[in-house]
Amino acid sequence: DLCEDLCPPPEDARTWPGGQAFIQWLQATNLFVTPQDSKEEWFRFHNLFLQLLRDRLHVQSDEAAVAQVQRKAAAWFAAMGMIEDSAYHYLAAGDLDEVATLMVRGRRHVINQEDWPRLTRWLGLFPADYVERTPELWIIKAWSLQSRFRLNEVDLVLDKIEAHWDQLCAGQSAADAEILSAEIATHRSQNRCWAGDGARSLEMARYAVAHTPSDYTGVYGNALLYLGIAMQVAGEQEDGFAMLTKALFSDDARQNPAFAARMLVALTLM
């Protein structure tokens, strides 16, 4: 009764036994619940009834019990891939570290869609001092700053990440650490490009392209863009143009309009 929306999957017998039967009973008795989609998979309580349930929970349970309910709701939403909903409940339970973990794990999808305002909203969920003392969030901050072309600030954030590299890698797999290093490299490549340092931009872009999974299209596409530009500066325009053209007609571009648009921008700049 803390959630506005509910969706009991038929197979979810462990986390909500009898969930479908409960929803059917609510519908049959017209008890303040309405479907939110044509398949009737998601439902919502009437606002007044929802508030009644929440008030009753707080009256009948102490703060620790309510926080535990919030954590269960957060875990369920996280399993459904609903990051913001999960974050809302973890925040209500006071679990900032869990929210940070959600954001770090979920950033790839958002970066692939180049949904920069969403990343910035994520950072806004945390107190500023928490962001400053949580290295795991700094790469998200770097992307947020880069989207607003605050490149000098991006470099400062990257310097902090590299200064805390051992601490960051201690809690990550080798693959995740490699991806993080590629994200740093693509930022460095962009910044060196705009600073007029073509050789360093080329070096960083080559590293980023070589160490980024192709399905991480937000990073891979940005690295390809600056690799193409740096290759042009280095006198390798023909090879750079061929590389970007191949990427434009790849499966990645067909499946991700943002990636395709970035390749078109790169080819236009060249």
Side-chain angles (χ1 to χ4, degrees):
D1 26 349
L2 288 170
C3 304
E4 291 184 0
D5 300 317
L6 58 158
C7 170
E11 70 276 9
D12 204 10
R14 289 184 303 147
T15 58
W16 192 355
Q20 282 291 345
F22 175 67
I23 291 294
Q24 291 169 3
W25 176 78
L26 287 175
Q27 285 186 287
T29 56
N30 194 29
L31 193 57
F32 304 111
V33 65
T34 55
Q36 296 297 296
D37 55 27
S38 59
K39 295 181 180 180
E40 297 193 355
E41 293 178 345
W42 284 93
F43 298 85
R44 175 167 293 185
F45 285 122
H46 187 282
N47 287 341
L48 292 177
F49 185 59
L50 178 62
Q51 190 58 52
L52 172 66
L53 293 175
R54 287 174 172 170
D55 290 344
R56 184 174 180 180
L57 175 65
H58 285 278
V59 168
Q60 294 181 341
S61 306
D62 59 23
E63 290 186 7
V66 173
Q68 187 59 28
V69 174
Q70 294 280 16
R71 292 185 185 99
K72 288 182 178 179
W76 187 87
F77 278 117
M80 297 288 287
M82 302 172 67
I83 294 176
E84 281 83 359
D85 296 89
S86 180
Y88 167 82
H89 289 285
Y90 276 130
L91 286 171
D95 292 344
L96 288 176
D97 290 349
E98 291 289 351
V99 180
T101 299
L102 277 176
M103 303 310 181
V104 171
R105 290 176 178 172
R107 75 183 187 277
R108 179 183 295 203
H109 173 74
V110 180
I111 291 170
N112 281 352
Q113 299 303 314
E114 300 194 20
D115 191 351
W116 312 122
R118 188 179 180 190
L119 280 185
T120 302
R121 288 196 302 272
W122 282 6
L123 287 176
L125 295 174
F126 302 96
D129 63 321
Y130 180 85
V131 175
E132 289 305 308
R133 66 174 187 268
T134 309
E136 291 78 9
L137 291 174
W138 295 345
I139 192 62
I140 295 177
K141 184 176 181 179
W143 283 108
S144 175
L145 290 168
Q146 182 249 33
S147 72
R148 290 169 281 164
F149 215 69
R150 292 162 61 175
L151 303 186
N152 289 337
E153 293 174 71
V154 171
D155 269 333
L156 293 175
V157 173
L158 299 180
D159 290 343
K160 287 177 62 177
I161 292 174
E162 291 175 339
H164 291 78
W165 187 253
D166 290 341
Q167 177 185 345
L168 278 165
C169 291
Q172 297 191 49
S173 67
D176 286 341
E178 184 175 43
I179 289 171
L180 180 58
S181 70
E183 290 180 80
I184 293 171
T186 193
H187 284 301
R188 295 290 196 194
S189 176
Q190 176 176 349
N191 291 5
R192 298 327 302 157
C193 174
W194 287 101
D197 186 352
R200 182 64 171 164
S201 179
L202 180 63
E203 178 188 355
M204 291 290 95
R206 288 195 192 281
Y207 179 92
V209 169
H211 292 84
T212 303
S214 61
D215 63 350
Y216 199 170
T217 53
V219 177
Y220 190 63
N222 201 52
L224 282 174
L225 186 155
Y226 284 97
L227 178 56
I229 294 173
M231 290 174 72
Q232 181 182 33
V233 172
E236 303 174 29
Q237 181 173 355
E238 186 175 338
D239 289 342
F241 196 87
M243 174 193 69
L244 293 172
T245 301
K246 180 179 179 181
L248 178 61
F249 292 98
S250 67
D251 289 340
D252 291 326
R254 282 190 287 271
Q255 296 168 8
N256 189 320
F259 179 85
R262 189 164 287 273
M263 295 304 96
L264 285 171
V265 168
L267 288 166
T268 302
L269 289 173
M270 290 185 68

